[in-house]
Amino acid sequence: MKNLAIFDLDNTLINTDSDHAWPQYLIKKGLVDAAETEAQNEKFYRDYQNGCLDIDAFLKFHLAPLARYSKEELAEFHREFMAEYIIPHISPMQRMLVQSHQMAGDETLVISSTNEFIITPVCRLFGITNIIGTQLETGPDGRYTGNYIGTPSLKEGKITRLNQWLAERGETLESYGKTYFYSDSKNDLPLLRLVDEPVAVNPDTELEKEAKEKGWPVLNFK
């Protein structure tokens, strides 16, 4: 019976937050209003860190720029974004962590509250093809509409989306010998408490406290 290794992405497999970095890239490229975007981006990032993010308001802000460009244009933007804002923040140890599970024959999965457009190419850098992010609506013209569909994969939403993914495969968590989840954030405590092997990575204060109380492993890649 194989194991299932689940990873958060931001500040876990990468030593940055891709959700926070993407608006910074858009500002640098001159694609959005700099002052307004910077203010909103910082507010939402603080709210996320404090565990009080209004996910609907955040996604309305974050997804609006995607609707202005074709998927071909967005793909080119993403290549630039990854080269400057993501790849420099991946350590050899983070790559080795994923590889150790892959070499053991474990199923690997990323669950992130960040949207699919941003996370999918990043996950592929690690050879991970099972990817759950906030799902984006596509219009009849094939472009993103700026809206999301389904349940955002934030907090308990990660459990909802995980169970949906498992059901599509005809599985449950009990289909695996062991389930691991690696995360940096107190926002992920619902799923961390559910799996067999929770691991705190670059943990925030609240997660670090619970990890120490419960004897969970703590990894620091920064």
Side-chain angles (χ1 to χ4, degrees), residues 14-18 20-29 79-90:
I14 58 177
N15 289 322
T16 188
D17 188 298
S18 59
H20 184 246
W22 174 250
Q24 294 175 329
Y25 164 77
L26 296 178
I27 290 169
K28 184 175 181 180
K29 198 157 176 75
R79 281 190 285 273
E80 294 179 354
F81 167 68
M82 281 237 294
E84 184 173 352
Y85 286 85
I86 301 299
I87 292 173
H89 299 284
I90 301 173

Side-chain angles (χ1 to χ4, degrees), residues 5 46 51 54 66 79 83 86 96 100 102 123 128 130 146 165 172 194 197 207-208 213 219:
R46 286 193 304 271
D54 180 336
L66 299 184
R79 281 190 285 273
I86 301 299
M96 288 172 62
S100 68
Q102 292 167 333
C123 294
I128 297 175
N130 297 310
W165 178 80
T172 65
L194 183 66
E197 303 286 343
L207 175 54
E208 185 172 27
E213 287 174 354
L219 303 176

Side-chain angles (χ1 to χ4, degrees), residues 52-73:
C52 60
L53 179 66
D54 180 336
I55 189 66
D56 288 314
F58 168 71
L59 288 172
K60 183 178 180 181
F61 156 75
H62 206 267
L63 301 182
L66 299 184
R68 299 179 199 143
Y69 302 97
S70 70
K71 288 190 175 177
E72 292 74 22
E73 290 172 308

